[in-house]
Amino acid sequence: YRMLSDFHELDCREKLNTSSYVNVVLEDDEVKAVNLGMRINIADQTTYPSSFKVHNITLNMIANLWNCPKPADFDDYGAFPGAGTVGSTEACLLGGLCLKFRWRKWYAARNGLTEAEVRSVYPNLVISTCFQAAWEKLFRYMDVEAKFVTPSKDTFAITAEGVKAQIDEKTIGVVCILGNHYGGQYDPVWEIDEMLQQLNEEMGYQVGIHVDGASGAFIAPFQDDVPAWDFRLPTVLSISASGHKFGESVCGTGWIVWRQREGLSEHVAISVSYLGGKADSYTLNFSRPASGIFVQYYKFNRLGRNGYRALR
């Protein structure tokens, strides 16, 4: 421990780290929650059903915060379509993958292609040049072309017109950034949603929005002057956020919520039956501790909506 402490001392004091937007101030009970979670492999739902119930309770709180419509199959799963992830990078990758697989089925049907033929088509994703590194990973790892929209230096936010100019038949979706890492500005999700509804009707497209709320998705719900940006808008298909930023959880906590399982989260659901039961896994990572989920649950109950509003 002393050797590790020496390495730690050479880095910095955690409270001076403001650049990564990660919560580093923990109450004593939060540390206890972290320690509890370290003993739980949250990927093994059948061995730790009560711990996974904490996951689902927390996920449902977030889905309700973002006004996700209750799915018809809610009672079958006991939860909204979504997952706790290792930071918002994993959540963004999952959101992008679902958009890609959803588009692939649509494009194959539209052009009479087989599943093998459509795999050779190079799709694209429309996004602001203010994107975070998670999306570059999607472009490189998942074989998706980036179609960038450059925001004005006065607003640091993209426009519906700029997005529309980049969309074509190979567009899997649009990413709207809710709180970019330069100045925290919000892309106008509400304006882009209106444009997409019209464009989809005119062109026969099904382009939807993923809201990258890494910084803003735990702030915007408590800002009364922000227009609807979440699942209240019909083309918003998924939302991701960092639990360890303004969600106030510990480093390595992320969340994604999808509007529905059909055509979206079902594309990344893997049925796991060899651990003693049957459960669906929605994440890229498998084995991982429950610490971030436990602290997120702790913070939601500790602070409540009024507490989060007061922090804004």
Side-chain angles (χ1 to χ4, degrees):
Y1 177 77
R2 184 187 61 78
M3 294 171 67
L4 284 173
S5 296
D6 289 343
F7 281 112
H8 180 267
E9 188 69 24
L10 290 173
D11 281 339
C12 66
R13 294 195 301 273
E14 292 93 339
K15 291 182 181 179
L16 298 180
N17 177 13
T18 59
S19 62
S20 64
Y21 312 103
V22 174
N23 176 39
V24 294
V25 179
L26 306 179
E27 298 175 343
D28 290 342
D29 282 344
E30 284 182 78
V31 176
K32 293 177 183 177
V34 168
N35 289 333
L36 280 177
M38 286 194 300
R39 296 171 173 85
I40 303 297
N41 181 2
I42 200 64
D44 194 349
Q45 302 172 29
T46 53
T47 301
Y48 305 108
S50 294
S51 295
F52 201 75
K53 185 176 181 179
V54 173
H55 168 280
N56 283 349
I57 291 171
T58 308
L59 173 65
N60 291 343
M61 290 181 184
I62 296 170
N64 284 317
L65 183 67
W66 296 340
N67 295 292
C68 187
K70 188 175 181 179
D73 57 5
F74 181 87
D75 291 337
D76 296 334
Y77 294 87
F80 285 83
T85 59
V86 182
S88 64
T89 291
E90 184 184 16
C92 289
L93 294 176
L94 288 166
L97 278 173
C98 284
L99 290 178
K100 179 178 179 178
F101 295 147
R102 174 178 181 264
W103 165 85
R104 187 180 278 171
K105 284 187 173 295
W106 171 85
Y107 189 85
R110 182 179 174 98
N111 293 279
L113 302 179
T114 66
E115 183 175 338
E117 289 170 336
V118 75
R119 287 174 181 267
S120 67
V121 183
Y122 190 34
N124 65 73
L125 180 70
V126 179
I127 192 171
S128 166
T129 53
C130 293
F131 69 96
Q132 59 159 316
W135 294 106
E136 186 167 357
K137 292 186 177 186
L138 179 86
F139 303 142
R140 291 191 183 191
Y141 304 167
M142 312 304 181
D143 209 22
V144 175
E145 178 189 6
K147 297 193 77 172
F148 293 121
V149 180
T150 303
S152 162
K153 63 180 177 61
D154 297 321
T155 65
F156 274 73
I158 58 178
T159 64
E161 294 76 17
V163 170
K164 183 178 181 179
Q166 296 292 344
I167 293 174
D168 59 28
E169 192 181 39
K170 298 178 183 177
T171 300
I172 66 174
V174 176
V175 173
C176 291
I177 300 172
L178 202 73
N180 67 61
H181 53 274
Y182 295 107
Q185 292 89 350
Y186 295 173
D187 286 337
V189 191
W190 45 94
E191 295 176 4
I192 294 168
D193 166 78
E194 184 178 358
M195 177 275 292
L196 285 178
Q197 289 187 63
Q198 296 175 358
L199 183 65
N200 287 341
E201 185 174 353
E202 292 171 5
M203 303 298 294
Y205 294 164
Q206 60 162 23
V207 179
I209 295 171
H210 175 85
V211 177
D212 179 355
S215 295
F218 284 115
I219 295 178
F222 307 102
Q223 294 176 303
D224 296 331
D225 58 339
V226 176
W229 59 273
D230 52 21
F231 290 110
R232 288 169 290 179
L233 304 178
T235 65
V236 171
L237 302 179
S238 51
I239 301 173
S240 59
S242 291
H244 58 227
K245 291 188 176 71
F246 299 104
E248 304 295 328
S249 187
V250 294
C251 187
T253 309
W255 297 95
I256 182 165
V257 177
W258 287 278
R259 176 176 289 275
Q260 60 195 40
R261 288 180 177 83
E262 184 180 0
L264 288 169
S265 65
E266 67 177 4
H267 290 304
V268 293
I270 303 298
S271 180
V272 180
S273 59
Y274 59 83
L275 296 175
K278 186 176 183 296
D280 287 341
S281 172
Y282 292 92
T283 54
L284 297 176
N285 289 285
F286 194 64
S287 293
R288 61 200 189 281
S291 297
I293 293 164
F294 280 13
V295 175
Q296 192 77 80
Y297 176 86
Y298 170 88
K299 276 298 186 64
F300 282 173
N301 286 279
R302 174 82 167 86
L303 298 175
R305 286 182 179 246
N306 289 337
Y308 274 86
R309 183 180 292 273
L311 289 173
R312 303 306 130 214

mmCIF file of all heavy atoms in Angstrom, residues 233-273:
data_model
loop_
_atom_site.group_PDB
_atom_site.id
_atom_site.type_symbol
_atom_site.label_atom_id
_atom_site.label_comp_id
_atom_site.label_asym_id
_atom_site.label_seq_id
_atom_site.Cartn_x
_atom_site.Cartn_y
_atom_site.Cartn_z
ATOM 1 N N LEU A 233 -39.411 13.674 -27.301
ATOM 2 C CA LEU A 233 -39.277 13.912 -28.739
ATOM 3 C C LEU A 233 -39.275 12.566 -29.462
ATOM 4 O O LEU A 233 -38.500 11.667 -29.120
ATOM 5 C CB LEU A 233 -37.980 14.669 -29.034
ATOM 6 C CG LEU A 233 -37.799 15.993 -28.291
ATOM 7 C CD1 LEU A 233 -36.443 16.614 -28.638
ATOM 8 C CD2 LEU A 233 -38.928 16.965 -28.624
ATOM 9 N N PRO A 234 -40.117 12.402 -30.471
ATOM 10 C CA PRO A 234 -40.321 11.067 -31.077
ATOM 11 C C PRO A 234 -39.114 10.476 -31.780
ATOM 12 O O PRO A 234 -39.015 9.250 -31.897
ATOM 13 C CB PRO A 234 -41.475 11.293 -32.055
ATOM 14 C CG PRO A 234 -41.537 12.760 -32.282
ATOM 15 C CD PRO A 234 -41.050 13.409 -31.019
ATOM 16 N N THR A 235 -38.172 11.305 -32.262
ATOM 17 C CA THR A 235 -37.023 10.722 -32.963
ATOM 18 C C THR A 235 -35.837 10.438 -32.043
ATOM 19 O O THR A 235 -34.814 9.933 -32.504
ATOM 20 C CB THR A 235 -36.545 11.625 -34.123
ATOM 21 O OG1 THR A 235 -36.052 12.855 -33.592
ATOM 22 C CG2 THR A 235 -37.667 11.892 -35.114
ATOM 23 N N VAL A 236 -35.967 10.754 -30.762
ATOM 24 C CA VAL A 236 -34.907 10.397 -29.811
ATOM 25 C C VAL A 236 -35.032 8.911 -29.504
ATOM 26 O O VAL A 236 -36.028 8.457 -28.937
ATOM 27 C CB VAL A 236 -34.990 11.235 -28.519
ATOM 28 C CG1 VAL A 236 -34.032 10.686 -27.460
ATOM 29 C CG2 VAL A 236 -34.662 12.692 -28.815
ATOM 30 N N LEU A 237 -34.029 8.134 -29.891
ATOM 31 C CA LEU A 237 -34.067 6.681 -29.767
ATOM 32 C C LEU A 237 -33.265 6.174 -28.573
ATOM 33 O O LEU A 237 -33.572 5.107 -28.032
ATOM 34 C CB LEU A 237 -33.539 6.028 -31.044
ATOM 35 C CG LEU A 237 -34.280 6.389 -32.343
ATOM 36 C CD1 LEU A 237 -33.635 5.679 -33.523
ATOM 37 C CD2 LEU A 237 -35.758 6.031 -32.244
ATOM 38 N N SER A 238 -32.244 6.910 -28.180
ATOM 39 C CA SER A 238 -31.413 6.482 -27.053
ATOM 40 C C SER A 238 -30.717 7.684 -26.435
ATOM 41 O O SER A 238 -30.490 8.702 -27.102
ATOM 42 C CB SER A 238 -30.383 5.434 -27.494
ATOM 43 O OG SER A 238 -29.647 5.866 -28.623
ATOM 44 N N ILE A 239 -30.386 7.541 -25.154
ATOM 45 C CA ILE A 239 -29.701 8.601 -24.407
ATOM 46 C C ILE A 239 -28.623 7.939 -23.560
ATOM 47 O O ILE A 239 -28.861 6.913 -22.916
ATOM 48 C CB ILE A 239 -30.662 9.378 -23.490
ATOM 49 C CG1 ILE A 239 -31.800 10.009 -24.307
ATOM 50 C CG2 ILE A 239 -29.909 10.460 -22.709
ATOM 51 C CD1 ILE A 239 -32.876 10.662 -23.444
ATOM 52 N N SER A 240 -27.436 8.542 -23.554
ATOM 53 C CA SER A 240 -26.356 8.047 -22.700
ATOM 54 C C SER A 240 -25.877 9.168 -21.791
ATOM 55 O O SER A 240 -26.050 10.348 -22.078
ATOM 56 C CB SER A 240 -25.185 7.529 -23.549
ATOM 57 O OG SER A 240 -24.668 8.559 -24.388
ATOM 58 N N ALA A 241 -25.262 8.759 -20.683
ATOM 59 C CA ALA A 241 -24.756 9.747 -19.730
ATOM 60 C C ALA A 241 -23.628 9.154 -18.909
ATOM 61 O O ALA A 241 -23.529 7.931 -18.753
ATOM 62 C CB ALA A 241 -25.868 10.239 -18.805
ATOM 63 N N SER A 242 -22.795 10.025 -18.374
ATOM 64 C CA SER A 242 -21.768 9.620 -17.414
ATOM 65 C C SER A 242 -22.339 9.745 -16.018
ATOM 66 O O SER A 242 -22.639 10.851 -15.569
ATOM 67 C CB SER A 242 -20.531 10.530 -17.541
ATOM 68 O OG SER A 242 -19.853 10.317 -18.753
ATOM 69 N N GLY A 243 -22.445 8.620 -15.327
ATOM 70 C CA GLY A 243 -22.868 8.681 -13.940
ATOM 71 C C GLY A 243 -21.808 9.307 -13.060
ATOM 72 O O GLY A 243 -22.103 9.897 -12.019
ATOM 73 N N HIS A 244 -20.537 9.218 -13.498
ATOM 74 C CA HIS A 244 -19.446 9.719 -12.664
ATOM 75 C C HIS A 244 -19.169 11.211 -12.862
ATOM 76 O O HIS A 244 -18.286 11.752 -12.215
ATOM 77 C CB HIS A 244 -18.169 8.907 -12.890
ATOM 78 C CG HIS A 244 -17.680 8.880 -14.310
ATOM 79 N ND1 HIS A 244 -17.298 7.707 -14.927
ATOM 80 C CD2 HIS A 244 -17.501 9.848 -15.225
ATOM 81 C CE1 HIS A 244 -16.902 7.970 -16.153
ATOM 82 N NE2 HIS A 244 -17.013 9.270 -16.364
ATOM 83 N N LYS A 245 -19.886 11.845 -13.781
ATOM 84 C CA LYS A 245 -19.750 13.300 -13.894
ATOM 85 C C LYS A 245 -20.820 13.930 -13.014
ATOM 86 O O LYS A 245 -20.739 13.866 -11.791
ATOM 87 C CB LYS A 245 -19.861 13.726 -15.355
ATOM 88 C CG LYS A 245 -18.669 13.299 -16.224
ATOM 89 C CD LYS A 245 -18.760 13.917 -17.610
ATOM 90 C CE LYS A 245 -17.554 13.594 -18.472
ATOM 91 N NZ LYS A 245 -17.499 12.176 -18.913
ATOM 92 N N PHE A 246 -21.821 14.528 -13.621
ATOM 93 C CA PHE A 246 -22.825 15.235 -12.829
ATOM 94 C C PHE A 246 -23.914 14.309 -12.294
ATOM 95 O O PHE A 246 -24.846 14.772 -11.649
ATOM 96 C CB PHE A 246 -23.394 16.388 -13.649
ATOM 97 C CG PHE A 246 -22.336 17.385 -14.029
ATOM 98 C CD1 PHE A 246 -21.829 17.435 -15.316
ATOM 99 C CD2 PHE A 246 -21.823 18.251 -13.078
ATOM 100 C CE1 PHE A 246 -20.826 18.333 -15.663
ATOM 101 C CE2 PHE A 246 -20.821 19.153 -13.407
ATOM 102 C CZ PHE A 246 -20.320 19.196 -14.700
ATOM 103 N N GLY A 247 -23.749 12.998 -12.544
ATOM 104 C CA GLY A 247 -24.573 12.029 -11.845
ATOM 105 C C GLY A 247 -24.064 11.782 -10.438
ATOM 106 O O GLY A 247 -24.728 11.122 -9.641
ATOM 107 N N GLU A 248 -22.842 12.271 -10.175
ATOM 108 C CA GLU A 248 -22.248 12.261 -8.833
ATOM 109 C C GLU A 248 -21.839 10.878 -8.340
ATOM 110 O O GLU A 248 -21.603 10.693 -7.146
ATOM 111 C CB GLU A 248 -23.200 12.910 -7.806
ATOM 112 C CG GLU A 248 -23.628 14.329 -8.145
ATOM 113 C CD GLU A 248 -22.482 15.323 -8.146
ATOM 114 O OE1 GLU A 248 -21.544 15.136 -7.358
ATOM 115 O OE2 GLU A 248 -22.519 16.284 -8.937
ATOM 116 N N SER A 249 -21.732 9.878 -9.235
ATOM 117 C CA SER A 249 -21.266 8.556 -8.821
ATOM 118 C C SER A 249 -19.742 8.509 -8.922
ATOM 119 O O SER A 249 -19.086 9.539 -9.102
ATOM 120 C CB SER A 249 -21.919 7.465 -9.668
ATOM 121 O OG SER A 249 -21.602 6.183 -9.176
ATOM 122 N N VAL A 250 -19.166 7.304 -8.823
ATOM 123 C CA VAL A 250 -17.709 7.155 -8.847
ATOM 124 C C VAL A 250 -17.216 6.864 -10.263
ATOM 125 O O VAL A 250 -17.980 6.452 -11.134
ATOM 126 C CB VAL A 250 -17.249 6.023 -7.899
ATOM 127 C CG1 VAL A 250 -17.539 6.390 -6.475
ATOM 128 C CG2 VAL A 250 -17.915 4.693 -8.259
ATOM 129 N N CYS A 251 -15.924 7.064 -10.461
ATOM 130 C CA CYS A 251 -15.315 6.899 -11.775
ATOM 131 C C CYS A 251 -15.607 5.514 -12.355
ATOM 132 O O CYS A 251 -15.497 4.501 -11.660
ATOM 133 C CB CYS A 251 -13.810 7.109 -11.665
ATOM 134 S SG CYS A 251 -12.957 7.131 -13.244
ATOM 135 N N GLY A 252 -15.985 5.504 -13.634
ATOM 136 C CA GLY A 252 -16.310 4.246 -14.301
ATOM 137 C C GLY A 252 -17.784 3.925 -14.298
ATOM 138 O O GLY A 252 -18.158 2.774 -14.515
ATOM 139 N N THR A 253 -18.625 4.953 -14.083
ATOM 140 C CA THR A 253 -20.075 4.735 -14.068
ATOM 141 C C THR A 253 -20.699 5.414 -15.279
ATOM 142 O O THR A 253 -20.484 6.610 -15.505
ATOM 143 C CB THR A 253 -20.714 5.315 -12.792
ATOM 144 O OG1 THR A 253 -20.011 4.839 -11.647
ATOM 145 C CG2 THR A 253 -22.183 4.906 -12.698
ATOM 146 N N GLY A 254 -21.451 4.660 -16.055
ATOM 147 C CA GLY A 254 -22.167 5.218 -17.200
ATOM 148 C C GLY A 254 -23.532 4.570 -17.330
ATOM 149 O O GLY A 254 -23.811 3.546 -16.697
ATOM 150 N N TRP A 255 -24.391 5.170 -18.173
ATOM 151 C CA TRP A 255 -25.755 4.663 -18.354
ATOM 152 C C TRP A 255 -26.207 4.881 -19.792
ATOM 153 O O TRP A 255 -25.853 5.879 -20.418
ATOM 154 C CB TRP A 255 -26.733 5.379 -17.414
ATOM 155 C CG TRP A 255 -26.432 5.146 -15.969
ATOM 156 C CD1 TRP A 255 -25.686 5.948 -15.152
ATOM 157 C CD2 TRP A 255 -26.818 4.004 -15.195
ATOM 158 N NE1 TRP A 255 -25.596 5.385 -13.902
ATOM 159 C CE2 TRP A 255 -26.287 4.194 -13.893
ATOM 160 C CE3 TRP A 255 -27.570 2.859 -15.452
ATOM 161 C CZ2 TRP A 255 -26.478 3.270 -12.871
ATOM 162 C CZ3 TRP A 255 -27.762 1.944 -14.439
ATOM 163 C CH2 TRP A 255 -27.219 2.150 -13.156
ATOM 164 N N ILE A 256 -26.991 3.933 -20.275
ATOM 165 C CA ILE A 256 -27.700 4.121 -21.535
ATOM 166 C C ILE A 256 -29.131 3.641 -21.368
ATOM 167 O O ILE A 256 -29.390 2.636 -20.689
ATOM 168 C CB ILE A 256 -27.023 3.388 -22.714
ATOM 169 C CG1 ILE A 256 -27.782 3.675 -24.018
ATOM 170 C CG2 ILE A 256 -26.909 1.882 -22.461
ATOM 171 C CD1 ILE A 256 -27.043 3.316 -25.273
ATOM 172 N N VAL A 257 -30.050 4.387 -21.965
ATOM 173 C CA VAL A 257 -31.466 4.017 -22.000
ATOM 174 C C VAL A 257 -31.927 4.106 -23.443
ATOM 175 O O VAL A 257 -31.630 5.081 -24.141
ATOM 176 C CB VAL A 257 -32.324 4.945 -21.115
ATOM 177 C CG1 VAL A 257 -33.807 4.571 -21.226
ATOM 178 C CG2 VAL A 257 -31.869 4.877 -19.652
ATOM 179 N N TRP A 258 -32.638 3.063 -23.905
ATOM 180 C CA TRP A 258 -33.229 3.066 -25.239
ATOM 181 C C TRP A 258 -34.737 3.290 -25.135
ATOM 182 O O TRP A 258 -35.360 2.964 -24.113
ATOM 183 C CB TRP A 258 -32.990 1.733 -25.950
ATOM 184 C CG TRP A 258 -31.593 1.514 -26.410
ATOM 185 C CD1 TRP A 258 -31.016 1.972 -27.544
ATOM 186 C CD2 TRP A 258 -30.576 0.734 -25.751
ATOM 187 N NE1 TRP A 258 -29.713 1.541 -27.647
ATOM 188 C CE2 TRP A 258 -29.417 0.781 -26.558
ATOM 189 C CE3 TRP A 258 -30.537 0.001 -24.559
ATOM 190 C CZ2 TRP A 258 -28.233 0.131 -26.213
ATOM 191 C CZ3 TRP A 258 -29.363 -0.648 -24.204
ATOM 192 C CH2 TRP A 258 -28.229 -0.573 -25.026
ATOM 193 N N ARG A 259 -35.313 3.813 -26.184
ATOM 194 C CA ARG A 259 -36.763 4.035 -26.211
ATOM 195 C C ARG A 259 -37.522 2.713 -26.102
ATOM 196 O O ARG A 259 -38.581 2.634 -25.479
ATOM 197 C CB ARG A 259 -37.155 4.755 -27.515
ATOM 198 C CG ARG A 259 -38.646 4.955 -27.704
ATOM 199 C CD ARG A 259 -38.946 5.758 -28.951
ATOM 200 N NE ARG A 259 -38.561 7.150 -28.782
ATOM 201 C CZ ARG A 259 -39.326 8.085 -28.218
ATOM 202 N NH1 ARG A 259 -40.533 7.764 -27.765
ATOM 203 N NH2 ARG A 259 -38.902 9.310 -28.118
ATOM 204 N N GLN A 260 -36.996 1.660 -26.720
ATOM 205 C CA GLN A 260 -37.671 0.363 -26.734
ATOM 206 C C GLN A 260 -36.643 -0.726 -27.040
ATOM 207 O O GLN A 260 -35.530 -0.431 -27.492
ATOM 208 C CB GLN A 260 -38.761 0.336 -27.808
ATOM 209 C CG GLN A 260 -38.210 0.567 -29.225
ATOM 210 C CD GLN A 260 -39.280 0.888 -30.233
ATOM 211 O OE1 GLN A 260 -40.214 1.629 -29.939
ATOM 212 N NE2 GLN A 260 -39.169 0.316 -31.423
ATOM 213 N N ARG A 261 -37.027 -1.958 -26.770
ATOM 214 C CA ARG A 261 -36.147 -3.076 -27.090
ATOM 215 C C ARG A 261 -36.229 -3.430 -28.573
ATOM 216 O O ARG A 261 -35.216 -3.699 -29.217
ATOM 217 C CB ARG A 261 -36.502 -4.286 -26.225
ATOM 218 C CG ARG A 261 -36.100 -4.111 -24.775
ATOM 219 C CD ARG A 261 -36.451 -5.312 -23.911
ATOM 220 N NE ARG A 261 -35.966 -5.112 -22.544
ATOM 221 C CZ ARG A 261 -36.630 -4.410 -21.617
ATOM 222 N NH1 ARG A 261 -37.814 -3.880 -21.902
ATOM 223 N NH2 ARG A 261 -36.123 -4.241 -20.412
ATOM 224 N N GLU A 262 -37.439 -3.465 -29.105
ATOM 225 C CA GLU A 262 -37.633 -3.870 -30.495
ATOM 226 C C GLU A 262 -36.917 -2.914 -31.445
ATOM 227 O O GLU A 262 -37.146 -1.709 -31.435
ATOM 228 C CB GLU A 262 -39.124 -3.908 -30.824
ATOM 229 C CG GLU A 262 -39.419 -4.412 -32.235
ATOM 230 C CD GLU A 262 -40.901 -4.444 -32.547
ATOM 231 O OE1 GLU A 262 -41.709 -4.074 -31.666
ATOM 232 O OE2 GLU A 262 -41.261 -4.848 -33.670
ATOM 233 N N GLY A 263 -36.041 -3.466 -32.267
ATOM 234 C CA GLY A 263 -35.332 -2.677 -33.259
ATOM 235 C C GLY A 263 -34.191 -1.856 -32.703
ATOM 236 O O GLY A 263 -33.460 -1.209 -33.458
ATOM 237 N N LEU A 264 -33.996 -1.877 -31.376
ATOM 238 C CA LEU A 264 -32.917 -1.085 -30.774
ATOM 239 C C LEU A 264 -32.072 -1.975 -29.862
ATOM 240 O O LEU A 264 -31.177 -2.652 -30.317
ATOM 241 C CB LEU A 264 -33.492 0.128 -30.031
ATOM 242 C CG LEU A 264 -34.052 1.228 -30.939
ATOM 243 C CD1 LEU A 264 -34.835 2.257 -30.146
ATOM 244 C CD2 LEU A 264 -32.916 1.913 -31.707
ATOM 245 N N SER A 265 -32.383 -2.006 -28.567
ATOM 246 C CA SER A 265 -31.502 -2.725 -27.645
ATOM 247 C C SER A 265 -31.457 -4.228 -27.908
ATOM 248 O O SER A 265 -30.489 -4.895 -27.516
ATOM 249 C CB SER A 265 -31.924 -2.467 -26.196
ATOM 250 O OG SER A 265 -33.201 -2.999 -25.921
ATOM 251 N N GLU A 266 -32.470 -4.766 -28.588
ATOM 252 C CA GLU A 266 -32.445 -6.202 -28.889
ATOM 253 C C GLU A 266 -31.246 -6.580 -29.756
ATOM 254 O O GLU A 266 -30.803 -7.733 -29.754
ATOM 255 C CB GLU A 266 -33.738 -6.624 -29.590
ATOM 256 C CG GLU A 266 -33.926 -6.047 -30.981
ATOM 257 C CD GLU A 266 -35.193 -6.554 -31.669
ATOM 258 O OE1 GLU A 266 -35.950 -7.292 -31.028
ATOM 259 O OE2 GLU A 266 -35.419 -6.184 -32.852
ATOM 260 N N HIS A 267 -30.700 -5.597 -30.479
ATOM 261 C CA HIS A 267 -29.571 -5.875 -31.362
ATOM 262 C C HIS A 267 -28.275 -6.150 -30.600
ATOM 263 O O HIS A 267 -27.336 -6.737 -31.167
ATOM 264 C CB HIS A 267 -29.351 -4.715 -32.324
ATOM 265 C CG HIS A 267 -30.431 -4.572 -33.355
ATOM 266 N ND1 HIS A 267 -30.792 -5.593 -34.200
ATOM 267 C CD2 HIS A 267 -31.229 -3.517 -33.678
ATOM 268 C CE1 HIS A 267 -31.772 -5.183 -35.001
ATOM 269 N NE2 HIS A 267 -32.053 -3.939 -34.698
ATOM 270 N N VAL A 268 -28.192 -5.709 -29.354
ATOM 271 C CA VAL A 268 -26.961 -5.939 -28.586
ATOM 272 C C VAL A 268 -27.202 -6.862 -27.392
ATOM 273 O O VAL A 268 -26.300 -7.095 -26.588
ATOM 274 C CB VAL A 268 -26.334 -4.612 -28.100
ATOM 275 C CG1 VAL A 268 -25.838 -3.796 -29.283
ATOM 276 C CG2 VAL A 268 -27.310 -3.809 -27.251
ATOM 277 N N ALA A 269 -28.405 -7.391 -27.265
ATOM 278 C CA ALA A 269 -28.733 -8.282 -26.149
ATOM 279 C C ALA A 269 -28.163 -9.675 -26.409
ATOM 280 O O ALA A 269 -28.423 -10.281 -27.445
ATOM 281 C CB ALA A 269 -30.246 -8.362 -25.960
ATOM 282 N N ILE A 270 -27.381 -10.156 -25.470
ATOM 283 C CA ILE A 270 -26.805 -11.492 -25.546
ATOM 284 C C ILE A 270 -27.386 -12.329 -24.410
ATOM 285 O O ILE A 270 -27.306 -11.936 -23.240
ATOM 286 C CB ILE A 270 -25.263 -11.450 -25.407
ATOM 287 C CG1 ILE A 270 -24.656 -10.546 -26.482
ATOM 288 C CG2 ILE A 270 -24.688 -12.852 -25.493
ATOM 289 C CD1 ILE A 270 -24.893 -10.986 -27.893
ATOM 290 N N SER A 271 -27.989 -13.445 -24.741
ATOM 291 C CA SER A 271 -28.570 -14.313 -23.724
ATOM 292 C C SER A 271 -27.478 -15.168 -23.085
ATOM 293 O O SER A 271 -26.734 -15.870 -23.779
ATOM 294 C CB SER A 271 -29.647 -15.219 -24.338
ATOM 295 O OG SER A 271 -30.204 -16.063 -23.352
ATOM 296 N N VAL A 272 -27.368 -15.065 -21.767
ATOM 297 C CA VAL A 272 -26.347 -15.804 -21.023
ATOM 298 C C VAL A 272 -27.043 -16.856 -20.163
ATOM 299 O O VAL A 272 -27.848 -16.528 -19.293
ATOM 300 C CB VAL A 272 -25.521 -14.862 -20.130
ATOM 301 C CG1 VAL A 272 -24.466 -15.653 -19.360
ATOM 302 C CG2 VAL A 272 -24.872 -13.777 -20.974
ATOM 303 N N SER A 273 -26.730 -18.118 -20.408
ATOM 304 C CA SER A 273 -27.410 -19.193 -19.693
ATOM 305 C C SER A 273 -26.464 -20.143 -18.959
ATOM 306 O O SER A 273 -26.920 -21.049 -18.266
ATOM 307 C CB SER A 273 -28.277 -20.007 -20.665
ATOM 308 O OG SER A 273 -27.463 -20.561 -21.688
#
